[in-house]
Amino acid sequence: AALMVADEWQGIGIGTALARRLAADAAAVGISRVHALIGGENRTSHALMRSVTRIVSRLFEGADVHVVGEISERCRPMATRS
């Protein structure tokens, strides 16, 4: 899945809500990690990834960063929390 919010809709929580829902839906079907390709200078997207995951790896490739995150407990459905 991909996540993108149009410029005119950024900064009002839409991306955060979508990312949390995506993480919760992934966790509900047994997915525990997510991968993202984020522009190296896109601080907002990096912060968003940190808000829904615990970052476990970063691989810098040119201007982009491959980020892997473990879905955080607050995004998991209650039945799957440890």
Side-chain angles (χ1 to χ4, degrees), residues 14-26:
I14 294 171
T16 300
L18 289 171
R20 287 185 179 158
R21 179 60 187 259
L22 183 61
D25 287 352

Side-chain angles (χ1 to χ4, degrees), residues 8-74:
E8 63 269 18
W9 291 99
Q10 292 180 6
I12 58 173
I14 294 171
T16 300
L18 289 171
R20 287 185 179 158
R21 179 60 187 259
L22 183 61
D25 287 352
V29 296
I31 297 169
S32 60
R33 289 188 173 187
V34 295
H35 298 247
L37 178 62
I38 304 172
E41 295 183 13
N42 190 337
R43 293 176 189 244
T44 302
S45 291
H46 286 280
L48 180 60
M49 184 73 167
R50 287 191 309 272
S51 78
V52 296
T53 69
R54 180 181 62 81
I55 304 301
V56 295
S57 72
R58 287 184 184 92
L59 174 63
F60 296 88
E61 186 177 289
D64 296 322
V65 184
H66 294 266
V67 182
V68 177
E70 182 84 23
I71 296 173
S72 66
E73 286 291 317
R74 70 179 170 272

